[in-house]
């Protein structure tokens, strides 16, 4: 992928490879740290390279769909291949790949360790980037015949229309956290959700489509099972390509028991270690943190003992992963991040909890690295990160 802000010696946009992918769905340049997610006036591109990536991605996804008789491990390799190839094509601004990324996030294929809210927000971002794009055509390097230029223009309109329809459908069934935010303040520049929905209905009509308006209908709220979500994050800690750094949860007593005593290859009891561990605090009757604060659990014995002592009001829990695949941070920097999160009686964790950043966002090394200046300390980067996340609401 190229960054328009970073130039080579000849003044051309610099190829940066894979961008930073932040928890809120943004893409940022790993060099200049600026937001490079496709804007409404960006030029979509289809060339030989990203066309091949997208075609191979679709083939792998088809194999995933049709390989129900194969071993689960083999099937998931097909899906992983489809997602990775589609990501590369999307980073190269292939419009159909951008739409497919929205689909993958919407349906929980992409970044399954993300919360429902963050996956919904990412899908929203991808769909909107396509359907609100002002260009009516695509730049191609393979097509030299001007008479064929309008052919993909028609296809682009169809892609935009599908994205707009999917956006409208998503707004009929958003997660609770999104509804809470829309009720609390403006969302994406719109004063309320009906204004947003009506704007999308108008976009659908402008693209030649139809959608049954349900702006007056009561929205169905999509709920999440927190123990399932926590396990999904825990499982992804052992991903060899891209693994989360940490996430914070609030679990009821029954959810905590399900998560801590779960069975399977990736259960906490089998995988907990000095590098991938938990910090747990009792929740009190008022939703605060109990008087004993956070306790660190780094081995099977500590978790097994705690399962029999889970408090009736549930727990607050942080999963911290110092072992997984972290592209931008060295091991000593990860240790420093863990130290920073725990300083002053876990003040940063407590601040995230006070701002209700639990059961919602999963943070990766990208999210810290974006705040890491060349000569600044990791401590300063963590401080900036916490401030930015807590000011989001």
């Amino acid at each position: 992928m190229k960054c328009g802000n970073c130039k080579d010696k000849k003044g051309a946009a610099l190829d940066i490879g894979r961008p930073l992918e932040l928890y809120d769905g943004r893409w940022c340049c790993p060099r200049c740290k600026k937001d490079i997610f496709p804007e409404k006036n960006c030029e979509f591109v289809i060339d030989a390279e990203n066309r091949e990536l997208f075609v191979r991605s679709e083939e792998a996804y088809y194999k995933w769909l049709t390989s129900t008789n194969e071993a689960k491990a083999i099937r998931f390799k097909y899906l992983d291949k489809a997602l990775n190839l589609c990501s590369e094509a999307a980073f190269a601004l292939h419009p159909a790949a951008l739409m497919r990324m929205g689909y993958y996030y919407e349906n929980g294929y992409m970044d399954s360790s993300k919360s429902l809210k963050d996956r919904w927000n990412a899908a929203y971002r991808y769909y909107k980037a396509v359907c609100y794009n002002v260009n009516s055509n695509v730049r191609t390097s393979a097509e030299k015949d001007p008479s064929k230029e309008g052919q993909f223009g028609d296809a682009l309109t169809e892609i935009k229309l599908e994205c707009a329809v999917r956006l409208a459908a998503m707004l009929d069934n958003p997660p609770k956290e999104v509804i809470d935010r829309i009720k609390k303040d403006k969302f994406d520049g719109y004063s309320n959700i009906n204004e947003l929905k009506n704007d999308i209905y108008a976009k659908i009509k402008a693209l030649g489509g139809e959608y049954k308006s349900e702006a007056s209908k009561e929205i169905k709220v999509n709920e999440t099972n927190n123990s399932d979500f926590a396990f999904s994050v825990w499982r992804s800690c052992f991903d060899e390509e891209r693994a989360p750094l940490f996430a914070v949860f609030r679990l009821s007593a029954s959810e905590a028991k399900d998560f801590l005593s779960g069975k399977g290859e990736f259960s906490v009891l089998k995988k907990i270690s000095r590098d991938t561990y938990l910090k747990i605090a009792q929740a009190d009757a008022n939703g605060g943190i109990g008087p004993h604060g956070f306790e660190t659990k780094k081995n099977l014995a500590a978790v097994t003992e705690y399962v029999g002592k889970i408090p009736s009001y549930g727990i607050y829990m942080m999963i911290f992963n110092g072992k997984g695949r972290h592209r931008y941070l060295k091991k000593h920097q990860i240790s420093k991040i863990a130290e920073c999160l725990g300083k002053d009686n876990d003040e940063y964790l407590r601040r995230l909890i006070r701002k209700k950043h639990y059961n919602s966002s999963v943070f990766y090394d990208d999210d810290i690295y974006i705040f890491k200046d060349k000569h600044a300390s990791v401590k300063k980067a963590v401080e900036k990160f916490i401030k930015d996340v807590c000011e989001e609401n």
Side-chain angles (χ1 to χ4, degrees):
M1 184 177 187
K2 294 184 182 297
C3 173
N5 302 304
C6 296
K7 309 291 184 182
D8 62 18
K9 293 181 180 179
K10 295 181 179 180
L14 198 66
D15 192 338
I16 60 169
R18 193 181 186 100
L20 300 175
E21 299 171 80
L22 305 189
Y23 76 96
D24 59 3
R26 285 181 293 150
W27 299 350
C28 290
C29 173
R31 291 173 61 90
C32 68
K33 311 293 181 69
K34 292 184 178 179
D35 191 332
I36 53 174
F37 198 83
E39 298 180 345
K40 66 178 182 180
N41 60 347
C42 83
E43 187 177 35
F44 294 138
V45 178
I46 295 182
D47 55 25
E49 185 177 355
N50 69 13
R51 180 188 288 109
E52 181 182 359
L53 289 168
F54 184 63
V55 169
R56 288 170 58 203
S57 171
E58 293 291 275
E59 289 172 348
Y61 182 59
Y62 179 76
K63 285 183 178 180
W64 151 259
L65 292 175
T66 58
S67 61
T68 53
N69 293 328
E70 294 191 43
K72 190 174 181 180
I74 299 297
R75 292 195 69 222
F76 273 96
K77 285 184 179 179
Y78 294 145
L79 181 60
D80 289 342
K81 184 177 181 180
L83 300 178
N84 289 329
L85 290 170
C86 190
S87 294
E88 292 184 47
F91 294 148
L93 301 181
H94 190 301
L98 288 164
M99 176 182 69
R100 181 62 93 177
M101 288 291 285
Y103 173 84
Y104 285 148
Y105 273 110
E106 180 189 358
N107 291 281
Y109 292 117
M110 197 75 191
D111 281 355
S112 61
S113 64
K114 282 184 178 289
S115 69
L116 186 61
K117 180 201 76 172
D118 283 347
R119 291 200 306 271
W120 190 97
N121 282 333
Y124 173 89
R125 185 182 286 268
Y126 277 102
Y127 287 149
K128 191 176 181 188
V130 176
C131 72
Y132 278 84
N133 187 275
V134 299
N135 295 307
S136 59
N137 220 307
V138 175
R139 176 166 60 85
T140 65
S141 61
E143 286 290 354
K144 302 297 183 182
D145 185 353
S147 67
K148 296 183 179 181
E149 184 177 347
Q151 292 183 9
F152 202 87
D154 295 338
L156 180 59
T157 299
E158 292 179 9
I159 292 172
K160 287 182 176 182
L161 177 58
E162 182 170 348
C163 287
V165 170
R166 288 190 174 277
L167 268 181
M170 283 175 58
L171 286 164
D172 284 337
N173 189 27
K176 181 179 182 298
E177 298 92 339
V178 173
I179 293 298
D180 290 344
R181 183 176 174 187
I182 292 172
K183 287 179 179 178
K184 183 178 180 180
D185 51 24
K186 293 182 179 180
F187 178 81
D188 197 18
Y190 297 91
S191 59
N192 58 63
I193 193 167
N194 282 347
E195 182 183 353
L196 169 57
K197 292 174 79 172
N198 287 329
D199 191 44
I200 293 171
Y201 298 148
K203 175 60 67 175
I204 291 171
K205 186 175 181 180
L207 291 167
E210 295 181 0
Y211 190 84
K212 184 179 179 181
S213 175
E214 301 196 16
S216 61
K217 179 181 176 182
E218 183 179 353
I219 292 172
K220 176 185 175 184
V221 174
N222 206 332
E223 298 284 357
T224 304
N225 182 303
N226 293 322
S227 61
D228 287 349
F229 176 34
F231 181 74
S232 177
V233 174
W234 179 260
R235 187 181 188 280
S236 67
C237 286
F238 307 95
D239 193 300
E240 295 179 358
E241 289 298 320
R242 186 171 185 257
L245 184 61
F246 78 96
V248 183
F249 302 89
R250 182 178 179 183
L251 305 179
S252 68
S254 61
E255 288 172 336
K257 185 176 181 181
D258 286 344
F259 174 74
L260 295 173
S261 59
K263 299 178 182 179
E265 178 185 356
F266 290 96
S267 76
V268 173
L269 297 178
K270 290 184 178 180
K271 289 288 189 178
I272 195 163
S273 70
R274 183 174 56 186
D275 294 314
T276 302
Y277 60 87
L278 309 174
K279 294 190 76 168
I280 299 175
Q282 175 184 347
D284 64 26
N286 299 315
I289 295 173
H292 302 297
F294 282 91
E295 301 174 5
T296 302
K297 312 293 181 184
K298 291 189 174 184
N299 56 57
L300 184 152
V303 174
T304 302
E305 180 183 7
Y306 192 80
V307 170
K309 301 177 181 177
I310 295 173
S312 58
Y313 295 117
I315 64 172
Y316 287 101
M317 177 182 75
M318 179 184 73
I319 293 175
F320 190 87
N321 177 28
K323 186 176 182 180
R325 177 74 164 95
H326 304 305
R327 188 185 306 268
Y328 296 104
L329 297 173
K330 295 180 173 62
K331 192 171 183 64
H332 76 273
Q333 292 175 314
I334 294 171
S335 298
K336 181 61 69 174
I337 290 169
E339 180 183 320
C340 290
L341 291 172
K343 73 169 189 174
D344 298 331
N345 194 24
D346 304 288
E347 174 55 28
Y348 284 158
L349 281 183
R350 292 171 182 270
R351 193 181 304 177
L352 288 171
I353 289 169
R354 286 196 297 270
K355 287 290 185 176
K356 299 190 182 302
H357 278 287
Y358 50 82
N359 303 340
S360 58
S361 297
V362 181
F363 303 111
Y364 289 73
D365 57 322
D366 305 44
D367 296 299
I368 303 292
Y369 182 76
I370 191 72
F371 295 102
K372 177 72 172 69
D373 297 329
K374 187 174 183 180
H375 301 294
S377 65
V378 171
K379 177 182 177 182
K380 185 64 69 175
V382 174
E383 181 182 321
K384 290 180 180 179
F385 159 74
I386 293 292
K387 181 180 179 181
D388 183 75
V389 172
C390 290
E391 287 180 351
E392 180 191 78
N393 289 338

